[in-house]
Amino acid sequence: MELWDIAADYEVTLVKKAFRKWDRDQKGFINRGDLAAILAEITPSTISNKSIDALLEQCMAEADTNRDGMIEYKEFVEWITLPATNFCVLAGDVRFFDLETILKPLFMVYDIDNSGSISKAEFVECQTLLQNALKLSTSAAQLPHSPLHDDIVADKLFAEADTNSDRSISFAEFVDWQRAGLNRNGLDAKQLQELIPALARQLMRVFKFNEFAARMDEVDDAKNAKVLQRIIDNLAKFASDVWNTVEAGRERSSQTRTHYTNRWTKPPAGLSMRKLKARHLALQMRQNSRTEAADISVLCLPGLVSDHESSTIDSTVSSRRPWIAQVQHTNLHKSGKRDPQEPAYYEFRNLEWTPAEADSFTAVLNETPPELRLVCLLKSEAQFATKMSWNEVQTALDKAVALGFLTSEQHDDFTDEIKKRALNSLIDDDEIAGLSMAEKQKEILKNLYKKITLTAQIVMATLSELEIFRVSSAWADFMNE
């Protein structure tokens, strides 16, 4: 038996269990009363009674296909397994599936001018970007077939979505249009919850990257091209996954993909590593009256936000977004012994650092892309300043090795590359002519520690050139600083 067959059998078992729960008196079908009771039980408290009544009528219309006033088991299976229905089966239970909330970030990306509706020009621009991404992706030949591959004119799709013909698409029309398309694919609700916000983020990155690249110097063109290509690849990947055929959706269901939801934003005003360390030391002194010299290192990460906020992060969202930090405190004894303590965790919110749980930090770290983890470590070591001294860079990379973000060999490769560049600079400036090799090395180190300043972006670009990190679409967020 193939993997898909096993998964399908398991899903059938879950649906049967859910049907028995909804059929409260085990009569073999679900009537309007059963459905009304279930809706009142599982819909969020924020939904009004009027909306629940409307949802009841919608569900009966969708599920009761033979219009006899009863939802039989076959009808229930066909209805509840539709990807864009209002419910999904999880762990043998039917739960409310809020497609509108999931689609809101994507709608806001389409609504470029934030007017509350999508104009024809906005719609055509977004659809063209999606179709072009499929063609320009480096893995275009391997992508599963999607309706986006078909040369459907965006004008025709706009007319389909604009059901009242007022030359704009409201959010309700957008949801209905997406629901119809999503019901033709093979994805389940859990996958849609992952993919649609990710698609919205990639599409937003295209717009933001175009604004950013227009301000960059020509010397950065090669690096910009790599970042843009990664954005295009990811956009194509998520677009083909969301709008696919049933067969392609099933194929994806049997595959796993690491998808990181956390992303970089400009840190809020008042975010200070010095204040964090002072706060930590004050708490340590309360718990332990002994005072010893200490080495304190910090890794500070942007906290997780909702899918809606993640796709539409602006200065307002950034200012209220929490940040979370791990503080590693190591006591330094006079004998030279280093005594590392258990890490402590803190959250920055409303201009204040407060203790946090280790699980909260771990959850954020697990959703943060590997390259962004290193960027945050570099920024933390530099007190979130724009430029870093060579000593700060080396300290941060030492910590990266300790945390498993880099290997010691990769750290050495980076150091050798920067030294080589420093040597070439000295040669170009004719500052080391006639010096012995030992004297040249000494001059290089002096320049590195006294004259060289780097940015986190330069460090990451160098690591990319050394093929230690691969350029990803997430770079578009932190390279724009």
Side-chain angles (χ1 to χ4, degrees), residues 279-291 329 341-344 346 355:
R279 170 71 164 151
H280 172 74
L281 286 172
L283 290 175
Q284 289 294 305
M285 289 181 67
R286 291 180 197 172
Q287 300 169 8
N288 187 350
S289 59
R290 291 189 308 163
T291 57
H329 183 122
Q341 307 298 299
E342 285 295 318
Y346 298 87

PDB file of all heavy atoms in Angstrom, residues 279-291 329 341-344 346 355:
ATOM      1  N   ARG A 279      19.408  44.700  33.598  1.00  0.00           N
ATOM      2  CA  ARG A 279      18.226  44.088  34.214  1.00  0.00           C
ATOM      3  C   ARG A 279      18.550  42.671  34.684  1.00  0.00           C
ATOM      4  O   ARG A 279      18.178  42.266  35.786  1.00  0.00           O
ATOM      5  CB  ARG A 279      17.102  44.059  33.172  1.00  0.00           C
ATOM      6  CG  ARG A 279      15.869  43.247  33.538  1.00  0.00           C
ATOM      7  CD  ARG A 279      15.063  43.896  34.608  1.00  0.00           C
ATOM      8  NE  ARG A 279      13.730  43.324  34.681  1.00  0.00           N
ATOM      9  CZ  ARG A 279      13.016  43.282  35.793  1.00  0.00           C
ATOM     10  NH1 ARG A 279      13.506  43.788  36.917  1.00  0.00           N
ATOM     11  NH2 ARG A 279      11.810  42.763  35.780  1.00  0.00           N
ATOM     12  N   HIS A 280      19.256  41.918  33.840  1.00  0.00           N
ATOM     13  CA  HIS A 280      19.625  40.549  34.194  1.00  0.00           C
ATOM     14  C   HIS A 280      20.537  40.519  35.422  1.00  0.00           C
ATOM     15  O   HIS A 280      20.325  39.717  36.346  1.00  0.00           O
ATOM     16  CB  HIS A 280      20.313  39.883  33.002  1.00  0.00           C
ATOM     17  CG  HIS A 280      20.905  38.552  33.319  1.00  0.00           C
ATOM     18  ND1 HIS A 280      20.146  37.417  33.504  1.00  0.00           N
ATOM     19  CD2 HIS A 280      22.211  38.174  33.512  1.00  0.00           C
ATOM     20  CE1 HIS A 280      20.932  36.403  33.777  1.00  0.00           C
ATOM     21  NE2 HIS A 280      22.194  36.831  33.793  1.00  0.00           N
ATOM     22  N   LEU A 281      21.545  41.382  35.451  1.00  0.00           N
ATOM     23  CA  LEU A 281      22.469  41.410  36.583  1.00  0.00           C
ATOM     24  C   LEU A 281      21.764  41.795  37.874  1.00  0.00           C
ATOM     25  O   LEU A 281      22.062  41.259  38.946  1.00  0.00           O
ATOM     26  CB  LEU A 281      23.615  42.383  36.300  1.00  0.00           C
ATOM     27  CG  LEU A 281      24.660  41.890  35.281  1.00  0.00           C
ATOM     28  CD1 LEU A 281      25.636  43.015  34.946  1.00  0.00           C
ATOM     29  CD2 LEU A 281      25.407  40.676  35.823  1.00  0.00           C
ATOM     30  N   ALA A 282      20.801  42.714  37.785  1.00  0.00           N
ATOM     31  CA  ALA A 282      20.047  43.116  38.975  1.00  0.00           C
ATOM     32  C   ALA A 282      19.269  41.936  39.538  1.00  0.00           C
ATOM     33  O   ALA A 282      19.225  41.722  40.761  1.00  0.00           O
ATOM     34  CB  ALA A 282      19.109  44.267  38.633  1.00  0.00           C
ATOM     35  N   LEU A 283      18.650  41.160  38.646  1.00  0.00           N
ATOM     36  CA  LEU A 283      17.903  39.975  39.111  1.00  0.00           C
ATOM     37  C   LEU A 283      18.838  38.924  39.674  1.00  0.00           C
ATOM     38  O   LEU A 283      18.507  38.250  40.665  1.00  0.00           O
ATOM     39  CB  LEU A 283      17.093  39.387  37.954  1.00  0.00           C
ATOM     40  CG  LEU A 283      15.894  40.210  37.472  1.00  0.00           C
ATOM     41  CD1 LEU A 283      15.256  39.561  36.251  1.00  0.00           C
ATOM     42  CD2 LEU A 283      14.858  40.353  38.580  1.00  0.00           C
ATOM     43  N   GLN A 284      20.020  38.768  39.071  1.00  0.00           N
ATOM     44  CA  GLN A 284      20.984  37.794  39.569  1.00  0.00           C
ATOM     45  C   GLN A 284      21.475  38.160  40.966  1.00  0.00           C
ATOM     46  O   GLN A 284      21.653  37.291  41.832  1.00  0.00           O
ATOM     47  CB  GLN A 284      22.183  37.716  38.605  1.00  0.00           C
ATOM     48  CG  GLN A 284      21.875  37.054  37.276  1.00  0.00           C
ATOM     49  CD  GLN A 284      21.542  35.577  37.420  1.00  0.00           C
ATOM     50  OE1 GLN A 284      22.314  34.806  37.984  1.00  0.00           O
ATOM     51  NE2 GLN A 284      20.377  35.187  36.935  1.00  0.00           N
ATOM     52  N   MET A 285      21.679  39.440  41.215  1.00  0.00           N
ATOM     53  CA  MET A 285      22.162  39.887  42.526  1.00  0.00           C
ATOM     54  C   MET A 285      21.123  39.658  43.611  1.00  0.00           C
ATOM     55  O   MET A 285      21.454  39.373  44.755  1.00  0.00           O
ATOM     56  CB  MET A 285      22.549  41.362  42.457  1.00  0.00           C
ATOM     57  CG  MET A 285      23.820  41.619  41.640  1.00  0.00           C
ATOM     58  SD  MET A 285      24.285  43.362  41.597  1.00  0.00           S
ATOM     59  CE  MET A 285      24.735  43.621  43.327  1.00  0.00           C
ATOM     60  N   ARG A 286      19.851  39.744  43.257  1.00  0.00           N
ATOM     61  CA  ARG A 286      18.798  39.464  44.231  1.00  0.00           C
ATOM     62  C   ARG A 286      18.804  37.990  44.626  1.00  0.00           C
ATOM     63  O   ARG A 286      18.532  37.627  45.764  1.00  0.00           O
ATOM     64  CB  ARG A 286      17.423  39.817  43.651  1.00  0.00           C
ATOM     65  CG  ARG A 286      17.191  41.302  43.455  1.00  0.00           C
ATOM     66  CD  ARG A 286      15.800  41.520  42.883  1.00  0.00           C
ATOM     67  NE  ARG A 286      15.656  42.842  42.307  1.00  0.00           N
ATOM     68  CZ  ARG A 286      14.600  43.248  41.610  1.00  0.00           C
ATOM     69  NH1 ARG A 286      13.600  42.384  41.403  1.00  0.00           N
ATOM     70  NH2 ARG A 286      14.526  44.465  41.124  1.00  0.00           N
ATOM     71  N   GLN A 287      19.099  37.132  43.648  1.00  0.00           N
ATOM     72  CA  GLN A 287      19.061  35.697  43.893  1.00  0.00           C
ATOM     73  C   GLN A 287      20.369  35.167  44.469  1.00  0.00           C
ATOM     74  O   GLN A 287      20.395  34.123  45.107  1.00  0.00           O
ATOM     75  CB  GLN A 287      18.742  34.968  42.581  1.00  0.00           C
ATOM     76  CG  GLN A 287      17.396  35.364  41.990  1.00  0.00           C
ATOM     77  CD  GLN A 287      17.218  34.850  40.569  1.00  0.00           C
ATOM     78  OE1 GLN A 287      18.029  34.087  40.069  1.00  0.00           O
ATOM     79  NE2 GLN A 287      16.148  35.278  39.913  1.00  0.00           N
ATOM     80  N   ASN A 288      21.462  35.886  44.234  1.00  0.00           N
ATOM     81  CA  ASN A 288      22.768  35.421  44.678  1.00  0.00           C
ATOM     82  C   ASN A 288      23.598  36.628  45.098  1.00  0.00           C
ATOM     83  O   ASN A 288      23.937  37.471  44.267  1.00  0.00           O
ATOM     84  CB  ASN A 288      23.465  34.662  43.537  1.00  0.00           C
ATOM     85  CG  ASN A 288      24.762  34.018  43.986  1.00  0.00           C
ATOM     86  OD1 ASN A 288      25.245  34.275  45.086  1.00  0.00           O
ATOM     87  ND2 ASN A 288      25.330  33.178  43.130  1.00  0.00           N
ATOM     88  N   SER A 289      23.895  36.728  46.371  1.00  0.00           N
ATOM     89  CA  SER A 289      24.596  37.905  46.896  1.00  0.00           C
ATOM     90  C   SER A 289      26.055  37.959  46.441  1.00  0.00           C
ATOM     91  O   SER A 289      26.688  39.007  46.498  1.00  0.00           O
ATOM     92  CB  SER A 289      24.540  37.909  48.437  1.00  0.00           C
ATOM     93  OG  SER A 289      25.130  36.733  48.954  1.00  0.00           O
ATOM     94  N   ARG A 290      26.633  36.830  46.002  1.00  0.00           N
ATOM     95  CA  ARG A 290      28.025  36.845  45.547  1.00  0.00           C
ATOM     96  C   ARG A 290      28.152  37.640  44.253  1.00  0.00           C
ATOM     97  O   ARG A 290      27.302  37.545  43.376  1.00  0.00           O
ATOM     98  CB  ARG A 290      28.526  35.421  45.313  1.00  0.00           C
ATOM     99  CG  ARG A 290      28.674  34.606  46.578  1.00  0.00           C
ATOM    100  CD  ARG A 290      29.372  33.306  46.266  1.00  0.00           C
ATOM    101  NE  ARG A 290      28.721  32.599  45.162  1.00  0.00           N
ATOM    102  CZ  ARG A 290      29.289  31.620  44.486  1.00  0.00           C
ATOM    103  NH1 ARG A 290      30.512  31.232  44.772  1.00  0.00           N
ATOM    104  NH2 ARG A 290      28.648  31.016  43.514  1.00  0.00           N
ATOM    105  N   THR A 291      29.181  38.402  44.150  1.00  0.00           N
ATOM    106  CA  THR A 291      29.441  39.153  42.922  1.00  0.00           C
ATOM    107  C   THR A 291      30.747  38.672  42.328  1.00  0.00           C
ATOM    108  O   THR A 291      31.769  38.601  42.997  1.00  0.00           O
ATOM    109  CB  THR A 291      29.529  40.664  43.204  1.00  0.00           C
ATOM    110  OG1 THR A 291      30.555  40.895  44.172  1.00  0.00           O
ATOM    111  CG2 THR A 291      28.196  41.188  43.742  1.00  0.00           C
ATOM    112  N   HIS A 329      24.834  33.681  30.848  1.00  0.00           N
ATOM    113  CA  HIS A 329      25.670  34.290  31.899  1.00  0.00           C
ATOM    114  C   HIS A 329      26.765  33.296  32.294  1.00  0.00           C
ATOM    115  O   HIS A 329      26.479  32.176  32.714  1.00  0.00           O
ATOM    116  CB  HIS A 329      24.783  34.621  33.105  1.00  0.00           C
ATOM    117  CG  HIS A 329      25.487  35.316  34.222  1.00  0.00           C
ATOM    118  ND1 HIS A 329      25.083  36.544  34.703  1.00  0.00           N
ATOM    119  CD2 HIS A 329      26.562  34.973  34.971  1.00  0.00           C
ATOM    120  CE1 HIS A 329      25.873  36.910  35.690  1.00  0.00           C
ATOM    121  NE2 HIS A 329      26.780  35.957  35.862  1.00  0.00           N
ATOM    122  N   GLN A 341      26.243  29.531  33.531  1.00  0.00           N
ATOM    123  CA  GLN A 341      24.992  29.327  34.247  1.00  0.00           C
ATOM    124  C   GLN A 341      23.892  28.908  33.260  1.00  0.00           C
ATOM    125  O   GLN A 341      24.067  28.961  32.042  1.00  0.00           O
ATOM    126  CB  GLN A 341      24.591  30.631  34.959  1.00  0.00           C
ATOM    127  CG  GLN A 341      25.680  31.215  35.852  1.00  0.00           C
ATOM    128  CD  GLN A 341      26.061  30.275  36.982  1.00  0.00           C
ATOM    129  OE1 GLN A 341      25.237  29.928  37.810  1.00  0.00           O
ATOM    130  NE2 GLN A 341      27.324  29.854  37.004  1.00  0.00           N
ATOM    131  N   GLU A 342      22.773  28.500  33.821  1.00  0.00           N
ATOM    132  CA  GLU A 342      21.636  28.174  32.966  1.00  0.00           C
ATOM    133  C   GLU A 342      21.178  29.450  32.249  1.00  0.00           C
ATOM    134  O   GLU A 342      21.131  30.520  32.848  1.00  0.00           O
ATOM    135  CB  GLU A 342      20.475  27.609  33.794  1.00  0.00           C
ATOM    136  CG  GLU A 342      20.684  26.194  34.259  1.00  0.00           C
ATOM    137  CD  GLU A 342      20.742  25.209  33.101  1.00  0.00           C
ATOM    138  OE1 GLU A 342      19.926  25.342  32.158  1.00  0.00           O
ATOM    139  OE2 GLU A 342      21.614  24.319  33.120  1.00  0.00           O
ATOM    140  N   PRO A 343      20.841  29.371  30.949  1.00  0.00           N
ATOM    141  CA  PRO A 343      20.392  30.573  30.231  1.00  0.00           C
ATOM    142  C   PRO A 343      19.146  31.169  30.882  1.00  0.00           C
ATOM    143  O   PRO A 343      18.316  30.455  31.465  1.00  0.00           O
ATOM    144  CB  PRO A 343      20.083  30.053  28.826  1.00  0.00           C
ATOM    145  CG  PRO A 343      20.847  28.780  28.699  1.00  0.00           C
ATOM    146  CD  PRO A 343      20.869  28.186  30.075  1.00  0.00           C
ATOM    147  N   ALA A 344      19.030  32.478  30.796  1.00  0.00           N
ATOM    148  CA  ALA A 344      17.839  33.189  31.264  1.00  0.00           C
ATOM    149  C   ALA A 344      17.159  33.797  30.044  1.00  0.00           C
ATOM    150  O   ALA A 344      17.802  34.060  29.016  1.00  0.00           O
ATOM    151  CB  ALA A 344      18.226  34.266  32.267  1.00  0.00           C
ATOM    152  N   TYR A 346      14.192  36.683  28.441  1.00  0.00           N
ATOM    153  CA  TYR A 346      13.499  37.941  28.694  1.00  0.00           C
ATOM    154  C   TYR A 346      12.714  38.354  27.451  1.00  0.00           C
ATOM    155  O   TYR A 346      13.091  38.039  26.318  1.00  0.00           O
ATOM    156  CB  TYR A 346      14.495  39.048  29.049  1.00  0.00           C
ATOM    157  CG  TYR A 346      15.279  38.779  30.306  1.00  0.00           C
ATOM    158  CD1 TYR A 346      16.463  38.036  30.253  1.00  0.00           C
ATOM    159  CD2 TYR A 346      14.837  39.239  31.540  1.00  0.00           C
ATOM    160  CE1 TYR A 346      17.193  37.771  31.410  1.00  0.00           C
ATOM    161  CE2 TYR A 346      15.564  38.973  32.697  1.00  0.00           C
ATOM    162  CZ  TYR A 346      16.735  38.241  32.623  1.00  0.00           C
ATOM    163  OH  TYR A 346      17.444  37.972  33.767  1.00  0.00           O
ATOM    164  N   PRO A 355      11.153  38.992  32.613  1.00  0.00           N
ATOM    165  CA  PRO A 355      11.516  37.576  32.464  1.00  0.00           C
ATOM    166  C   PRO A 355      10.508  36.820  31.606  1.00  0.00           C
ATOM    167  O   PRO A 355       9.306  37.105  31.629  1.00  0.00           O
ATOM    168  CB  PRO A 355      11.524  37.066  33.907  1.00  0.00           C
ATOM    169  CG  PRO A 355      11.818  38.291  34.727  1.00  0.00           C
ATOM    170  CD  PRO A 355      11.105  39.413  34.037  1.00  0.00           C
TER     171      PRO A 355
END
